[in-house]
Amino acid sequence: MADYLRPTSLDEALQALARPWTVLAGGTDFYPARVGRAIDENVLDIGGIDALRGITAGPDSWWLGATTTWSELLDAELPSLFDGLKQAAREIGGRQIQNTGTIAGNLCNASPAADGVPPLLALDATVQLAGRAGTRRLPLASFITGNRRTVLAPGELLIAIHVPKPALDARSAFLKLGARRYLVISIAMAAATLEIEHGRVIAARVAVGACSAVAQRLPALEAALVGATVDSLATRVEAWQLAPLSPIDDVRGSASYRREAVVTLLRRLLAGFAS
Ligand SMILES: Cc1cc2nc3c(=O)[nH]c(=O)nc-3n(C[C@H](O)[C@H](O)[C@H](O)COP(=O)(O)OP(=O)(O)OC[C@H]3O[C@@H](n4cnc5c(N)ncnc54)[C@H](O)[C@@H]3O)c2cc1C
């Protein structure tokens, strides 16, 4: 290994990034990608920066620090808006992975099967990036650009995720399909956030992951859900609404299986809002 640095402030980290470092958070994606070879790159461990950890509510949005772990999210007292993200957190590896893996690490790793992405898309999340020149905020949908690709520029860190507070009380949910119930990479997963008033949907955001290089929102389905009663949501799902998806054949499932499975997954997910 060349150099290892564990700064305790964001400023120190950003100054260090004047030269190339590989960022390390929980390491649960970093280390498995390097099995069997020596780590010969400079490693910047951001786990010691307290200012990047925790969850706080502001007047208009929630702030989720980049190095907040999945377990910390699960332990946080949060409104039902976050139920879907918590359901995803419970299914990210086992307890050891949840204790170490971070929310931002999941986003920056940009795997098509990253379970954190669909629920955060359904929460309309934005990400905040910081570099020596300042900070910028952009929608999560613009942050991940492909399989393992993001818009992070050299010298930039993802420092926080912002979740806007909806106008009405909102609920969210997440469902994952794998080859077995636990400890599995998703074949497909779906997440939804619904704002409901007097038993009818006022606003809907639905996203599907592991069925395209980047998880996708489904605008046609979202439009079909607006105005529907909560006990009729599953009937609004139709196969043509999956047009934004482009599933691939791989060891976990064929493209045609994924297309069929997603319809069932979405119907189950939406039916769950009636209970
Ligand atoms: C056994 C096992 C099971 C798993 N199961 C699942 C699962 O079911 N679902 C799932 O989605 N994932 C799963 N994962 C993957 C992983 O645990 C998650 O993606 C986790 O959230 C990654 O976070 P981390 O902090 O460990 O990231 P790290 O490994 O530290 O970093 C991941 C990548 O992001 C970059 N990075 C991290 N933080 C930042 C930042 N703030 N700014 C800029 N770049 C950054 C790093 O340079 C690296 O390229 C599993 C991993 C293992 C080992």
Side-chain angles (χ1 to χ4, degrees):
M1 187 163 89
D3 277 325
Y4 172 83
L5 185 65
R6 188 175 161 91
T8 53
S9 75
L10 177 59
D11 194 47
E12 197 189 336
L14 294 177
Q15 293 312 321
L17 284 165
R19 69 183 177 102
W21 292 85
T22 301
V23 174
L24 174 76
T28 61
D29 279 313
F30 174 91
Y31 288 113
R34 288 160 178 80
V35 171
R37 67 179 167 95
I39 295 174
D40 55 2
E41 63 220 282
N42 296 331
V43 173
L44 182 76
D45 180 349
I46 59 170
I49 307 174
D50 289 344
L52 295 186
R53 176 161 267 143
I55 300 177
T56 53
D60 305 318
S61 65
W62 294 82
W63 178 93
L64 284 64
T67 57
T68 306
T69 65
W70 295 111
S71 292
E72 287 165 346
L73 174 87
L74 283 167
D75 290 343
E77 270 192 43
L78 294 167
S80 53
L81 175 67
F82 286 93
D83 286 357
L85 188 59
K86 284 194 168 190
Q87 282 159 356
R90 257 177 228 111
E91 300 210 33
I92 292 182
R95 196 65 190 176
Q96 296 94 330
I97 295 297
Q98 293 158 18
N99 286 343
T100 311
T102 64
I103 304 175
N106 192 249
L107 305 183
C108 293
N109 193 55
S111 159
D115 287 317
V117 178
L120 284 166
L121 283 175
L123 288 172
D124 216 9
T126 56
V127 293
Q128 187 176 0
L129 313 182
R132 272 168 298 124
T135 65
R136 57 181 177 137
R137 259 171 85 157
L138 63 160
L140 175 58
S142 314
F143 174 68
I144 303 175
T145 53
N147 183 355
R148 314 272 175 190
R149 288 209 315 270
T150 71
V151 300
L152 266 176
E156 266 188 328
L157 289 174
L158 196 167
I159 57 167
I161 298 118
H162 297 264
V163 173
K165 290 188 171 171
L168 301 169
D169 272 348
R171 289 164 58 195
S172 70
F174 170 86
L175 261 190
K176 166 169 170 172
L177 171 71
R180 54 174 189 253
R181 183 67 192 84
Y182 292 108
L183 295 173
V184 71
I185 299 176
S186 293
I187 295 171
M189 69 285 210
T193 301
L194 303 182
E195 292 174 46
I196 298 166
E197 197 173 42
H198 307 307
R200 279 188 191 276
V201 173
I202 305 298
R205 289 184 295 277
V206 182
V208 166
C211 288
S212 38
V214 185
Q216 295 291 319
R217 292 260 304 262
L218 299 178
L221 173 57
E222 292 174 356
L225 293 173
V226 173
T229 56
V230 278
D231 55 358
S232 70
L233 300 178
T235 65
R236 301 288 175 120
V237 180
E238 295 179 39
W240 67 268
Q241 296 157 345
L242 307 184
L245 306 181
S246 48
I248 55 162
D249 295 320
D250 68 9
V251 284
R252 287 186 288 281
S254 66
S256 62
Y257 171 72
R258 282 190 161 96
R259 277 194 188 282
E260 249 184 84
V262 166
V263 172
T264 305
L265 204 60
L266 286 166
R267 286 186 179 142
R268 282 188 194 155
L269 177 82
L270 293 167
F273 281 88
S275 53

